[in-house]
Amino acid sequence: DASNAEPLQRRLERLNQREDGEEGLGDGVNAWWRLYETFRPHELKNVDREEEAHNSQMIRRWVDAYLRPQKMQRSLALHLVEAGSILRGSATHWRLGRPEGSWPSRNKDPWMVPGQYLHKAVLVLLSDCTPRDPAALVLLNGPLIGHTAEGHEVFFGGPGTGPEARCVVPLPRGAVLGRFTLPPGVLHELLGNKAIQEAEHARMAQLMEMPKNERWLGAGGKLETLKEVKISLEGDRQQRKWYKEYLGIPNE
């Protein structure tokens, strides 16, 4: 009986409710899968279920970060950060490419890419930086992107363009190619939000003697709860997708 049928709007709202039972805005993932199953049942057999489950989870995280009302509490570090300082990217802030759902104090990235490369990053600051200064940074644990004529390894140092893309930091057995610059104030907001932290006792020479995948731990990085481990693993996967998308290589 059509008169007793549930209104279409309510049916859609119920269909879009989050699987975790949270009230409020739905994320649309369940509705999308039901539509896909209805109209493309044969293609559904070839879908990588594990990969799509991860992608669906990232959509839910994006909805939480961008579309659900939330109180943004940002703080600003005010001190001078000296040249040569080692900085450590958070393991839990960068899976969506932006901490807290948005880059602090700016509407878009100057290089127009998300920031998953800062997930568990180890960075060196190239010049003294106050909140009034831009921050020039080099990534010290980026992926392998090539070799020198002598056969030494060359690693990714950042997504900067122009002269920044040609910046070379020599290593005892190879080099880091590339750097990037954050606009004035952004580094200090990231420090205030703990999306990036200072590794006070870390030294570049010692870190570069470590295997690349151990440098974040060597810079004081740690995971203290199972929740942090789960988020970090999601970030690891997102970072691998970032390197494949923007550099055309897997992050080994």
Side-chain angles (χ1 to χ4, degrees):
D1 186 355
S3 63
N4 296 324
E6 185 178 22
L8 177 60
Q9 179 66 28
R10 178 57 192 153
R11 290 166 59 194
L12 290 174
E13 290 175 355
R14 180 168 52 81
L15 187 62
N16 285 341
Q17 288 297 312
R18 292 164 60 86
E19 292 180 350
D20 59 14
E22 182 177 329
E23 296 181 357
L25 182 67
D27 50 47
V29 171
N30 294 337
W32 188 92
W33 275 109
R34 293 193 185 187
L35 288 171
Y36 197 92
E37 185 176 21
T38 299
F39 293 106
R40 296 187 175 182
H42 299 295
E43 295 180 25
L44 191 63
K45 298 178 182 179
N46 298 321
V47 167
D48 185 333
R49 292 284 183 168
E50 182 181 357
E51 177 69 9
E52 291 307 319
H54 169 79
N55 293 339
S56 295
Q57 185 68 4
M58 290 303 98
I59 292 173
R60 294 188 175 100
R61 301 300 186 200
W62 188 92
V63 169
D64 285 338
Y66 285 85
L67 301 184
R68 297 182 187 277
Q70 55 184 301
K71 292 183 179 179
M72 302 291 288
Q73 295 183 346
R74 289 174 178 159
S75 56
L76 177 66
L78 298 175
H79 63 283
L80 169 71
V81 185
E82 296 181 351
S85 294
I86 300 298
L87 306 174
R88 181 181 66 246
S90 168
T92 59
H93 284 66
W94 296 100
R95 59 185 168 177
L96 296 179
R98 295 176 170 87
E100 308 295 339
S102 177
W103 276 99
S105 297
R106 56 187 174 134
N107 295 322
K108 62 182 181 180
D109 308 334
W111 44 84
M112 299 300 293
V113 296
Q116 278 90 352
Y117 60 92
L118 289 172
H119 172 73
K120 294 165 71 171
V122 178
L123 307 157
V124 61
L125 183 67
L126 298 182
S127 58
D128 290 351
C129 185
T130 72
R132 298 183 300 275
D133 303 315
L137 298 157
V138 173
L139 184 64
L140 297 179
N141 60 340
L144 178 69
I145 57 174
H147 293 82
T148 66
E150 295 78 18
H152 298 306
E153 294 177 323
V154 177
F155 298 94
F156 174 71
T161 59
E164 288 192 329
R166 298 188 292 273
C167 173
V168 176
V169 177
L171 302 175
R173 293 178 295 277
V176 175
L177 178 63
R179 65 179 178 92
F180 63 102
T181 301
L182 298 177
V186 172
L187 174 61
H188 287 77
E189 289 196 34
L190 294 175
L191 290 169
N193 292 339
K194 297 186 178 180
I196 289 177
Q197 293 180 290
E198 293 180 76
E200 296 180 356
H201 303 294
R203 298 293 178 267
M204 180 174 171
Q206 296 174 338
L207 289 172
M208 301 313 289
E209 290 296 324
M210 299 178 181
K212 183 171 64 66
N213 60 0
E214 296 179 11
R215 290 173 193 161
W216 185 76
L217 296 174
K222 57 183 177 180
L223 302 171
E224 298 183 322
T225 67
L226 289 176
K227 181 179 180 180
E228 288 183 352
V229 171
K230 180 178 183 297
I231 295 173
S232 176
L233 289 173
E234 291 176 348
D236 291 346
R237 190 163 189 164
Q238 288 293 96
Q239 187 181 68
R240 289 193 293 271
K241 292 162 76 75
W242 191 97
Y243 282 125
K244 182 177 181 181
E245 174 69 20
Y246 288 98
L247 300 184
I249 58 173
N251 185 22
E252 74 279 5

